[in-house]
Amino acid sequence: MASRTAQRFDPQPFLASVGNGRTIVKYQRGHPIFRQGDAADAVFYIHKGKVQITVLSEQGKEGVIGILDPGEFFGEGCLAGQPLHMATASATSECAIARIEKDTMIRKLRDEPVFSQQFMEYLLSRNVQIEANLVDQPFNSSEKRLARILL
Protein backbone atom coordinates (compact mmCIF):
# COMPACT_ATOMS: atom_id res chain seq x y z
CA MET A 1 0.00 0.00 0.00
CA ALA A 2 2.82 2.41 0.77
CA SER A 3 4.94 3.71 -2.05
CA ARG A 4 8.69 3.35 -2.15
CA THR A 5 9.01 7.08 -1.36
CA ALA A 6 7.10 6.53 1.88
CA GLN A 7 9.38 3.60 2.78
CA ARG A 8 12.50 5.85 2.80
CA PHE A 9 11.20 7.63 5.89
CA ASP A 10 13.11 6.30 8.91
CA PRO A 11 11.04 6.83 12.06
CA GLN A 12 13.44 4.91 14.33
CA PRO A 13 15.06 8.01 15.88
CA PHE A 14 11.60 9.38 16.65
CA LEU A 15 10.35 6.08 18.08
CA ALA A 16 13.43 5.80 20.28
CA SER A 17 12.85 9.31 21.66
CA VAL A 18 9.14 8.97 22.49
CA GLY A 19 9.56 7.38 25.93
CA ASN A 20 6.31 7.68 27.90
CA GLY A 21 3.27 7.52 25.68
CA ARG A 22 4.58 4.62 23.61
CA THR A 23 4.12 0.93 24.22
CA ILE A 24 5.11 -2.10 22.17
CA VAL A 25 2.39 -4.73 21.94
CA LYS A 26 2.69 -8.18 20.40
CA TYR A 27 -0.27 -9.65 18.53
CA GLN A 28 -0.87 -13.16 17.30
CA ARG A 29 -2.21 -13.84 13.82
CA GLY A 30 -5.89 -12.96 13.52
CA HIS A 31 -6.04 -10.79 16.63
CA PRO A 32 -7.50 -7.30 16.24
CA ILE A 33 -5.33 -4.30 17.02
CA PHE A 34 -8.44 -2.13 17.00
CA ARG A 35 -11.96 -2.52 15.70
CA GLN A 36 -14.11 -0.29 13.54
CA GLY A 37 -15.96 2.02 15.93
CA ASP A 38 -13.34 1.86 18.72
CA ALA A 39 -12.01 5.15 20.08
CA ALA A 40 -9.27 6.54 17.85
CA ASP A 41 -6.75 7.59 20.49
CA ALA A 42 -3.38 6.43 19.16
CA VAL A 43 -1.16 6.07 16.12
CA PHE A 44 0.42 2.67 15.44
CA TYR A 45 3.72 1.66 13.86
CA ILE A 46 4.51 -1.85 12.61
CA HIS A 47 7.89 -3.11 13.80
CA LYS A 48 7.29 -6.72 12.74
CA GLY A 49 4.55 -8.57 10.89
CA LYS A 50 1.69 -7.57 8.62
CA VAL A 51 -1.58 -5.83 9.38
CA GLN A 52 -4.80 -6.06 7.40
CA ILE A 53 -7.18 -3.10 7.35
CA THR A 54 -10.84 -3.97 6.74
CA VAL A 55 -14.16 -2.16 6.77
CA LEU A 56 -17.58 -3.54 7.50
CA SER A 57 -20.50 -2.10 5.55
CA GLU A 58 -23.92 -1.42 7.04
CA GLN A 59 -25.09 -4.53 5.15
CA GLY A 60 -22.49 -6.63 6.99
CA LYS A 61 -20.09 -7.11 4.08
CA GLU A 62 -16.40 -6.93 4.93
CA GLY A 63 -13.87 -5.46 2.51
CA VAL A 64 -10.09 -5.43 2.73
CA ILE A 65 -8.82 -1.94 2.06
CA GLY A 66 -5.15 -2.52 2.72
CA ILE A 67 -2.33 -4.77 3.83
CA LEU A 68 0.42 -2.97 5.73
CA ASP A 69 4.04 -4.05 6.13
CA PRO A 70 6.76 -3.40 8.71
CA GLY A 71 7.79 0.23 8.70
CA GLU A 72 4.29 1.58 8.14
CA PHE A 73 2.09 3.74 10.35
CA PHE A 74 -1.67 3.40 10.68
CA GLY A 75 -4.46 4.86 12.78
CA GLU A 76 -3.31 8.41 12.06
CA GLY A 77 -6.91 9.59 11.53
CA CYS A 78 -6.98 10.46 15.23
CA LEU A 79 -4.52 13.27 14.49
CA ALA A 80 -7.12 14.89 12.22
CA GLY A 81 -9.86 14.76 14.83
CA GLN A 82 -11.35 11.40 13.89
CA PRO A 83 -12.95 10.25 17.17
CA LEU A 84 -13.59 6.62 16.13
CA HIS A 85 -11.72 4.18 13.92
CA MET A 86 -13.40 3.87 10.55
CA ALA A 87 -11.87 0.43 9.93
CA THR A 88 -10.60 -2.65 11.75
CA ALA A 89 -6.87 -3.43 11.92
CA SER A 90 -5.90 -7.08 12.49
CA ALA A 91 -2.61 -8.94 12.61
CA THR A 92 -2.19 -11.28 9.64
CA SER A 93 0.99 -12.71 11.13
CA GLU A 94 2.74 -12.46 14.48
CA CYS A 95 3.23 -8.72 14.97
CA ALA A 96 5.09 -6.26 17.15
CA ILE A 97 3.28 -2.93 17.03
CA ALA A 98 4.24 0.37 18.64
CA ARG A 99 1.22 2.22 20.02
CA ILE A 100 1.85 5.96 20.34
CA GLU A 101 -0.78 7.86 22.27
CA LYS A 102 -2.46 10.67 20.34
CA ASP A 103 -1.31 13.41 22.76
CA THR A 104 2.27 12.15 22.62
CA MET A 105 2.24 12.05 18.82
CA ILE A 106 0.78 15.56 18.57
CA ARG A 107 3.39 16.90 21.00
CA LYS A 108 6.25 15.26 19.06
CA LEU A 109 4.92 16.57 15.74
CA ARG A 110 4.74 20.07 17.22
CA ASP A 111 8.14 19.93 18.97
CA GLU A 112 10.15 18.16 16.25
CA PRO A 113 9.72 19.97 12.92
CA VAL A 114 12.07 17.66 11.00
CA PHE A 115 10.12 14.59 12.09
CA SER A 116 6.86 16.44 11.44
CA GLN A 117 7.90 17.22 7.86
CA GLN A 118 9.07 13.65 7.21
CA PHE A 119 5.88 12.20 8.68
CA MET A 120 3.76 14.53 6.53
CA GLU A 121 5.71 13.54 3.41
CA TYR A 122 5.27 9.87 4.33
CA LEU A 123 1.49 10.28 4.74
CA LEU A 124 1.11 12.27 1.53
CA SER A 125 3.14 9.73 -0.46
CA ARG A 126 1.05 6.90 0.94
CA ASN A 127 -2.19 8.73 0.13
CA VAL A 128 -1.05 9.34 -3.45
CA GLN A 129 -0.36 5.60 -3.79
CA ILE A 130 -3.75 4.71 -2.30
CA GLU A 131 -5.48 7.07 -4.73
CA ALA A 132 -3.59 5.54 -7.65
CA ASN A 133 -4.65 2.06 -6.52
CA LEU A 134 -8.28 3.16 -6.20
CA VAL A 135 -8.24 4.71 -9.68
CA ASP A 136 -6.81 1.47 -11.11
CA GLN A 137 -9.48 -0.74 -9.53
CA PRO A 138 -12.43 0.11 -11.79
CA PHE A 139 -10.29 -0.20 -14.89
CA ASN A 140 -8.73 -3.48 -13.80
CA SER A 141 -12.09 -5.06 -13.04
CA SER A 142 -13.47 -3.76 -16.39
CA GLU A 143 -10.49 -5.26 -18.18
CA LYS A 144 -10.98 -8.58 -16.37
CA ARG A 145 -14.69 -8.65 -17.32
CA LEU A 146 -13.78 -7.93 -20.95
CA ALA A 147 -11.14 -10.68 -20.91
CA ARG A 148 -13.71 -13.18 -19.54
CA ILE A 149 -16.19 -12.21 -22.25
CA LEU A 150 -13.57 -12.55 -24.99
CA LEU A 151 -12.43 -15.95 -23.70
Side-chain angles (χ1 to χ4, degrees):
M1 190 156 115
S3 70
R4 292 297 132 216
T5 303
Q7 291 293 354
R8 287 190 295 216
F9 168 51
D10 180 13
Q12 296 307 323
F14 159 75
L15 291 167
S17 73
V18 171
N20 290 340
R22 178 189 65 127
T23 54
I24 304 291
V25 182
K26 294 188 178 185
Y27 295 90
Q28 296 300 313
R29 182 176 189 219
H31 285 229
I33 297 154
F34 56 76
R35 289 191 166 91
Q36 186 172 334
D38 286 352
D41 57 1
V43 175
F44 300 84
Y45 176 80
I46 306 169
H47 283 287
K48 174 185 155 193
K50 288 185 177 263
V51 173
Q52 179 175 278
I53 308 295
T54 59
V55 292
L56 190 61
S57 74
E58 290 180 10
Q59 296 77 28
K61 292 189 177 187
E62 185 178 68
V64 175
I65 59 171
I67 304 288
L68 305 177
D69 295 311
E72 293 193 73
F73 286 90
F74 61 101
E76 65 277 354
C78 70
L79 300 175
Q82 184 179 23
L84 304 174
H85 288 292
M86 298 177 69
T88 295
S90 302
T92 59
S93 63
E94 187 176 306
C95 289
I97 308 285
R99 181 185 187 281
I100 305 141
E101 292 177 20
K102 175 183 171 181
D103 293 341
T104 299
M105 189 71 170
I106 289 171
R107 186 176 64 257
K108 286 292 193 177
L109 288 168
R110 183 190 64 231
D111 295 347
E112 297 182 24
V114 172
F115 168 71
S116 182
Q117 180 180 349
Q118 291 173 334
F119 187 70
M120 183 70 68
E121 289 171 1
Y122 164 83
L123 291 177
L124 291 171
S125 295
R126 191 178 71 183
N127 284 348
V128 166
Q129 184 62 45
I130 290 168
E131 287 176 5
N133 291 344
L134 289 172
V135 167
D136 280 347
Q137 274 184 338
F139 298 111
N140 287 341
S141 58
S142 297
E143 291 170 1
K144 288 176 186 175
R145 283 193 302 270
L146 178 61
R148 279 192 293 250
I149 291 169
L150 293 175
L151 291 175

